[in-house]
Structures are given as C-alpha cells and as structure tokens.
Amino acid sequence: MSCCDTSGLLPVSDAISNLINATTPLTEMEYVSLANALNRVIAKDIYSPLPIPPFANSAMDGYALHTDDLIHSFTLKLKGKALAGQPFDGILEKGECIRIMTGAKIPKGANAVIMQEETQEKEDKVTFLASAKINQNIRPLGDDIKKDELVVSKGTLLTPRDVPLLATLGIDQIPVYKKPTVAFFSTGDELRAVGETLSQGEIYDSNRYTIRAMLEKMNCDYIDLGVIPDDPDKLKATFIHASEHADVIITSGGVSVGEADFTKDILKQTGTVDFWKLAIKPGKPFAFGRVNNALFCGLPGNPVSVLVTFHILVEPLLARLSGHTLWQAPVQLKAKAETEFKKSPGRTDYQRAIYRIDKNNQLYVSTTGNQGSGAFSSLSKANCFAVLEQERGHVAIGEEIVISLFSTTLN
Ligand code: AMP
Ligand code: MG
C-alpha cells in the first residue's frame, strides 16, 4: 500500500479499499411488497416463474390468418374477433381470418397478422393488399423472457427499470436485504439547530442536513442524534449510545488537531481507531474505526468536506454494507478546461465545476470559483467535480482534465 508516499497522506483509492475491506455486507433479509421495493437491494436471485409474453399475441391491430391461405386468394372469410383479454376460442379453418387487436392471443390455426392499414373489410370478407411472412406481427411466447430465466440478480439495487419487470412477472413479495441503520450527529459548541436563534460566534448546523440527505438517497434507515457539544463525556456517551442502535456511526467535526477536536481520542477510548490524513481536497482529516459492532466514520467539520468525503468514501462503504454488489462509482469523463484551475501538488482535488457540451459533442469544464472547504454555494452551482490528480499542479486553459459526473445521490 502506498500509504507512505513523500507527503505522508493516504491516497484516496487506498482509503476506499481500506473502507471496503473493513466492511462486511449485512446478510439479514426480509420480504417487502413490490410497491415498497424501489431502491431496495435484492437478496436472492430472482427467476422468472413464467415466460413473457405468456402466450403468442398480436403486435398490431389487424387480421390473423394462415400464410398458406394467401397463396390461392387475397380475400378470406372473416370468422370472428380476438381482443386483448377476450381471446377467440375456436380454430381458424382454411380460407378464414380473424379480426385481432394488439395484445390479443393469436388464435389456433393462425401464423401471421396483417396490419389493418393493409386490408379492406367488406361485409364478412377481408381482402389483403399485402402478403405476409410466417410470424409477421406476432410476439411469440417467451420472446422476451424464458420461464426459469434469471431476471434480477442478488445484489441489484431495484430501480424504476426493474420494478415493472417484476410486476410483469407477477412477483409481489420481493426478497431484499435489511437496510443499514446509520446514527449521525454533528459536533461543535458553535452549532445551533436550524430554527434556533444564533448568538455571538454561533452558526447553523448544516452538516446534519447533508448527511441526512445523502442517507435518504442511499435508502438507509437513520437516527439523527442532533448536535453534541465539544464535551468529551457527552461525546463518549453518544458514541456508545449510537453503537448500540446502529450499524454505522457518522459524525462531523472535531477530527482535526484543534483544542476542541476530541473525535479521535474518544474513538480510541470507546473502540478501535484508524485515523488517516487523506490526500484529498477538501476533506483531509478522516477518522475511521469501530465502536462495539458499529463502523465509525468521522468526517471533517467543513461543510464541503463533509459532502465530498461522504460521496467519495462513505458511499462505497454503505453500498457494500447494503449488499449492493453492482454499485458503480460515478462516471468519469475527460473534458477540456475552459478556465484555469488553481491547484498545488500533493492531494487529489475534487473541485466544484461546471461542464458543458458544445455542438460538436466536445466536453468543456470551468471552475465555479471559490474552492474554500466552507464555501457551500459553489456546490449548488456545480454540475460535476473536476478531479485533479494528486501530483498535478496548476491547470491552464485548454488542458484535459477528468470530470466526475454527479450521481443520483448528488442530483
Ligand atoms: P472542526 O473540524 O470541528 O474544527 O470544524 C471545521 C469548520 O467547520 C469550523 O469552521 C466549524 O465551525 C465548521 N463546522 C463544523 N461542524 C459544522 C456543521 N455541523 N455545520 C456547519 N459548519 C460546521
Ligand atoms: Mg469543531
């Protein structure tokens, strides 16, 4: 592991591997109804109980017939009607056709459907203006999905693309992993809850809103433990309390080297601690460890650092814990710098940036400006991160840089 590079900072990719390696996926499962299954992680491979379509049916409004019958004459006798949900019960005999609507079962004896626009119906006779190929306009049984085929694998997060698939198969009870429970709190004597009045030197606690929003996007259950002052005894009691009720504890603030930064010491007293100075900007100090059976992530206090470290480090951890084995890191693309990006070598920067695509499909990216780790307004303006490599320096206009698109958690 390259934890001991010259600057002594742990590279981001190593920190992610450490977090992943320390996380054991939750295995407890439950059944939920399909209506409540969105964003849950599938706990068992799901096989199709039936073929889809479950019967051969018409892809068009028109007439069902046997192609051999058109060899002798283009006019056939109209025998009856088949609608979706109202099949034609009889058998098609030689020289006959059936009026058929989209989704209706193909009657016995028919092997093609000719669309209405290519026909003329007169009294009980239909004349066909075009010939037909075998299976034309027929959706065959099992054409989309075979019976017993694997349709959704274990480890899949159910999206709006999967839910209708399970509905099509008539599956109502869905095996999913239990959601992780995450307890979180902010630390800092200066913090007031939104809605309270600020006194001298105080600010509003925004980090709990960041963490809560991200946890909602990650579909975790959570316990909001509020703001805990910089008081070692209170912090200690909260660490223990959180560990008794949650799979993961997330805190913000107090992980640096200031006089009121107690997180690391208390983690040491109540559990085990891995403290890293990360080669990431924003978000250098990060405490990771365990209190009893709960994983512990101590995020920095600065609001932008909280969002960035949650996104880069905590998201993969929560995905692993949730059993979401098909989780993917955000998409990264190459773009041309339209503005300068200030940077010094030593850390990987996640700078707030705005990409655009010109009419030739060329990607460009510009900075949002102020990259201070407390400057949250630039996050609202951004639509991507410019990911500037650890050893890279100042970026000039026209240079190529990697951008990381905002994933669903940030959008
Ligand atoms: P700390 O790491 O505790 O020294 O905090 C670093 C900076 O982030 C300080 O300016 C804090 O006031 C600020 N900060 C810490 N926690 C929060 C929070 N929950 N909401 C907004 N700002 C915070
Ligand atoms: Mg603090």
Side-chain angles (χ1 to χ4, degrees):
M1 192 172 76
S2 55
C3 70
C4 304
D5 61 339
T6 46
S7 61
L9 302 178
L10 184 69
V12 176
S13 54
D14 290 351
I16 295 171
S17 313
N18 292 356
L19 292 167
I20 293 289
N21 291 336
T23 305
T24 309
L26 300 175
T27 52
E28 217 180 319
M29 57 164 280
E30 60 186 342
Y31 279 86
V32 293
S33 71
L34 182 58
N36 294 319
L38 184 66
N39 292 327
R40 299 298 299 265
V41 179
I42 293 289
K44 274 183 177 177
D45 287 344
I46 297 183
Y47 296 90
S48 177
L50 64 160
I52 300 294
F55 50 88
N57 67 90
S58 179
M60 290 280 179
D61 294 327
Y63 295 87
L65 47 75
H66 197 288
T67 49
D68 285 353
D69 285 348
L70 293 184
I71 295 170
H72 311 293
S73 162
F74 275 95
T75 300
L76 301 178
K77 181 168 179 284
L78 184 60
K79 177 76 174 292
K81 210 161 44 171
L83 274 66
Q86 294 178 39
F88 173 78
D89 279 340
I91 299 180
L92 210 59
E93 307 286 354
K94 257 193 167 349
E96 293 176 344
C97 67
I98 293 283
R99 175 109 174 96
I100 195 164
M101 300 298 136
T102 305
K105 190 172 180 219
I106 301 295
K108 279 200 186 105
N111 71 355
V113 170
I114 294 189
M115 62 198 276
Q116 193 164 308
E117 291 82 346
E118 296 174 340
T119 64
Q120 279 171 358
E121 189 181 324
K122 208 172 173 194
E123 286 153 19
D124 63 343
K125 296 255 183 313
V126 185
T127 300
F128 295 93
L129 311 175
S131 61
K133 290 199 189 95
I134 292 173
N135 285 335
Q136 176 174 312
N137 295 326
I138 290 180
R139 303 190 279 220
L141 177 145
D143 188 41
D144 184 14
I145 300 166
K146 306 276 173 278
K147 183 174 182 316
D148 298 326
E149 186 177 324
L150 176 64
V151 279
V152 185
S153 346
K154 181 173 158 170
T156 303
L157 180 90
L158 277 193
T159 66
R161 294 176 287 106
D162 308 296
V163 170
L165 174 63
L166 296 173
T168 302
L169 297 172
I171 302 176
D172 174 44
Q173 291 298 308
I174 314 296
V176 294
Y177 289 117
K178 286 224 163 129
K179 295 183 196 180
T181 302
V182 181
F184 62 95
F185 54 93
S186 295
T187 70
D189 285 343
E190 75 282 30
L191 303 177
R192 284 289 152 268
V194 173
E196 292 177 2
T197 307
L198 296 181
S199 301
Q200 285 275 2
E202 293 179 342
I203 57 169
Y204 286 116
D205 167 21
S206 62
N207 292 343
R208 255 184 322 132
Y209 286 85
T210 310
I211 293 168
R212 175 203 294 255
M214 299 292 272
L215 291 173
E216 281 181 5
K217 287 282 192 168
M218 295 291 290
N219 207 24
C220 294
D221 284 334
Y222 56 79
I223 306 166
D224 181 349
L225 295 172
V227 177
I228 309 298
D230 295 316
D231 170 333
D233 290 336
K234 285 190 178 137
L235 285 166
K236 203 165 163 177
T238 311
F239 276 43
I240 305 280
H241 170 78
S243 76
E244 286 163 355
H245 295 90
D247 303 303
V248 183
I249 305 167
I250 301 177
T251 67
S252 78
V255 282
S256 204
V257 293
E259 276 181 30
D261 290 339
F262 299 117
T263 303
K264 188 181 149 193
D265 285 344
I266 290 171
L267 188 57
K268 209 181 270 171
Q269 290 166 32
T270 54
T272 55
V273 54
D274 261 319
F275 178 75
W276 305 320
K277 288 224 161 111
L278 298 179
I280 187 172
K281 192 176 174 193
K284 187 162 73 174
F286 188 91
F288 178 66
R290 214 172 264 281
V291 183
N292 294 320
N293 289 325
L295 295 169
F296 180 96
C297 296
L299 312 186
N302 277 308
V304 180
S305 308
V306 166
L307 185 128
V308 169
T309 52
F310 192 114
H311 181 54
I312 303 297
L313 302 166
V314 182
E315 266 187 51
L317 177 153
L318 289 176
R320 175 155 169 86
L321 191 67
S322 309
H324 184 195
T325 50
L326 303 176
W327 182 85
Q328 285 182 318
V331 175
Q332 298 203 329
L333 299 169
K334 284 179 178 155
K336 214 175 245 185
E338 271 190 303
T339 59
E340 296 182 342
F341 287 76
K342 287 188 198 146
K343 177 171 188 310
S344 22
R347 296 199 254 169
T348 302
D349 276 22
Y350 289 81
Q351 296 201 12
R352 284 84 84 192
I354 301 164
Y355 75 81
R356 70 173 182 93
I357 307 171
D358 75 2
K359 58 181 188 309
N360 301 316
N361 288 326
Q362 170 65 47
L363 265 180
Y364 290 95
V365 59
S366 53
T367 179
T368 55
N370 184 359
Q371 296 293 322
S373 53
F376 213 87
S377 65
S378 59
L379 261 173
S380 282
K381 284 183 214 149
N383 62 8
C384 66
F385 287 116
V387 185
L388 306 178
E389 298 81 354
Q390 191 168 335
E391 291 317 323
R392 197 160 181 183
H394 191 74
V395 177
I397 292 173
E399 280 186 40
E400 193 173 74
I401 56 185
V402 170
I403 61 169
S404 178
L405 300 185
F406 289 166
S407 55
T408 48
T409 38
L410 295 181
N411 273 328

